[in-house]
């Protein structure tokens, strides 16, 4: 079967794009591998109308609502290869089947590469977090830390005191310049240069960190800046131009979420340097609307 649009990725961005196209009565296929980036978080926060709900529950309800539209097909699977087939795009899945469409929306997301520190991975999404707007409220009024991982970490450390007393761990690599150090001092941020080597506490709770110099510092929440990697090779296979942000590469798009390849749109974490659920959903809406408009007015 040939679709008007195939959307690769069924999380906030992908399903938001699908909803616009479904309501435009276009034939849409949503392909999703069911491994969203936010699967480690117990709740989504800061998302209007969805605050405190589990990400999986939000997606499940969105999927149910999409299922009410007769022109939408939802398929669990992994998209492995994409190319042109005349005027159409041909998408190959891991099971060997091929699906075709006039337009593509890439909502494939990213994966996080966390610092290799003992005890960190098991706390990811609970007491080890990356976004203060998403999770800062839940760890507020505890001693908090910012684990430096890129040049933007020092700016994050300037923000975190709004949630609790803050320590900035340079990890021996990301030293603030004099102006930044003065701003940190004005915000009451303590700078620690000995690297964090272990996180301590029961289960996913965080009680303290052990430093390379042997000190143990009490801590109730740790903000990190993981490196990000595109989860899918499809954008590169299509020849989409990528950009490099503070944490990793992402797909270049214009104001209508169109990539540098005509007929290919991208939305969500794979197509932005700074991401959250609300922005992913909004970008998905734009991608869906723009893909629909391009089917009517291809030029």
């Amino acid at each position: 079967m040939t679709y008007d649009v195939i959307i690769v990725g069924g999380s906030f961005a992908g399903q938001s794009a699908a909803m616009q196209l479904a309501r435009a009565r276009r034939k849409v296929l949503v392909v999703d591998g069911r491994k969203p980036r936010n699967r480690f978080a117990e709740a989504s926060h800061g998302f209007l109308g969805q605050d405190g709900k589990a990400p999986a529950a939000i997606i499940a309800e969105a999927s149910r609502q999409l299922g009410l539209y007769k022109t939408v097909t939802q398929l669990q699977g992994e998209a492995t290869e994409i190319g042109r087939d005349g005027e159409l795009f041909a998408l190959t899945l891991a099971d060997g089947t091929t699906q075709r469409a006039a337009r593509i929306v890439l909502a494939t997301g990213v994966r996080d590469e966390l610092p290799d520190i003992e005890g960190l991975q098991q706390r990811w999404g609970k007491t080890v977090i990356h976004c203060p707007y998403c999770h800062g409220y839940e760890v507020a009024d505890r001693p908090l830390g910012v684990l430096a991982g890129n040049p933007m970490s020092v700016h994050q450390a300037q923000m975190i005191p709004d949630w609790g007393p803050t320590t900035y761990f340079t990890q021996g690599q990301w030293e603030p310049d004099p102006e930044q150090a003065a701003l940190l001092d004005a915000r009451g941020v303590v700078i620690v240069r000995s690297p964090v080597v272990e996180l301590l506490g029961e289960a996913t709770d965080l009680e303290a960190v052990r430093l390379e110099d042997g000190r143990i510092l009490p801590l109730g929440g740790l903000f990190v800046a993981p490196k990000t990697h595109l989860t899918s090779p499809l954008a590169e296979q299509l020849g989409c131009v990528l950009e490099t942000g503070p944490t990793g590469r992402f797909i270049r798009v214009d104001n209508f979420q169109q990539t540098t390849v005509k007929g290919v749109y991208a939305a969500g974490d794979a197509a932005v340097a700074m991401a959250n659920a609300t922005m992913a959903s909004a970008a998905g809406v734009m991608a869906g609307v723009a893909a629909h408009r391009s089917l009517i007015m291809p030029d």
Side-chain angles (χ1 to χ4, degrees):
M1 181 176 179
T2 298
Y3 296 90
D4 291 314
V5 183
I6 293 177
I7 300 170
V8 187
S11 191
F12 297 147
Q15 294 209 18
S16 294
M19 182 60 75
Q20 313 313 308
L21 291 156
R23 293 190 57 78
R25 304 192 297 174
R26 291 291 180 163
K27 291 186 293 185
V28 181
L29 173 64
V30 180
V31 179
D32 184 50
R34 307 287 171 84
K35 292 183 179 179
R37 182 187 187 188
N38 57 22
R39 65 189 183 275
F40 301 100
E42 295 177 352
S44 178
H45 293 288
F47 193 171
L48 186 63
Q50 305 292 341
D51 191 66
K53 293 183 181 179
I58 297 172
I59 294 304
E61 175 59 16
S63 181
R64 184 196 68 78
Q65 292 175 9
L66 279 175
L68 301 176
Y69 291 88
K70 296 180 180 180
T71 60
V72 176
T73 300
Q74 301 180 74
L75 178 64
Q76 181 176 354
E78 180 185 356
T80 58
E81 190 173 350
I82 194 168
R84 297 298 305 229
D85 183 3
E87 294 184 356
L88 300 174
F89 294 96
L91 180 73
T92 301
L93 305 182
D95 64 6
T97 59
T98 299
Q99 308 290 341
R100 292 172 174 80
R103 301 290 185 271
I104 297 291
V105 175
L106 299 175
T108 47
V110 298
R111 66 174 177 85
D112 294 299
E113 179 188 345
L114 297 172
D116 185 17
I117 297 174
E118 186 175 351
L120 191 147
Q121 178 72 57
Q122 70 198 56
R123 294 174 172 85
W124 176 236
K126 282 79 173 178
T127 50
V128 174
I129 47 187
H130 75 292
C131 172
Y133 298 106
C134 302
H135 304 291
Y137 191 90
E138 282 62 47
V139 296
D141 299 323
R142 309 177 192 178
L144 303 175
V146 174
L147 190 76
N150 63 55
M152 295 300 294
S153 294
V154 67
H155 298 288
Q156 186 177 54
Q158 293 168 16
M159 296 167 54
I160 301 304
D162 278 8
W163 286 270
T166 303
T167 300
Y168 175 62
F169 298 98
T170 71
Q171 292 302 93
Q173 300 181 60
W174 306 101
E175 183 71 21
D177 62 31
E179 182 179 355
Q180 292 170 335
L183 287 171
L184 291 176
D185 183 64
R187 292 282 283 159
V189 177
V190 176
I191 300 174
V192 171
R193 293 172 174 82
S194 181
V196 174
V197 296
E198 184 181 5
L199 276 62
L200 307 172
E202 293 293 326
T204 59
D205 289 338
L206 178 61
E207 297 174 4
V209 293
R210 189 190 310 276
L211 304 182
E212 189 175 71
D213 63 14
R215 285 182 292 162
I216 294 178
L217 300 183
L219 213 63
L222 182 64
F223 290 87
V224 304
K227 296 178 182 178
T228 56
H229 304 274
L230 294 175
T231 61
S232 169
L234 299 184
E236 292 178 274
Q237 291 175 6
L238 287 164
C240 299
V241 172
L242 304 182
E243 297 193 45
T244 300
T247 65
R249 297 194 301 170
F250 61 96
I251 305 167
R252 179 188 294 176
V253 294
D254 64 14
N255 291 337
F256 296 96
Q257 301 300 134
Q258 181 165 270
T259 71
T260 53
V261 176
K262 187 175 181 180
V264 180
Y265 299 80
D269 294 2
V272 69
M274 185 178 71
N276 74 10
T278 305
M279 291 190 286
S281 183
V285 170
M286 179 58 77
V289 169
H292 175 240
R293 288 169 59 89
S294 77
L295 292 167
I296 302 168
M297 300 171 283
D299 295 330

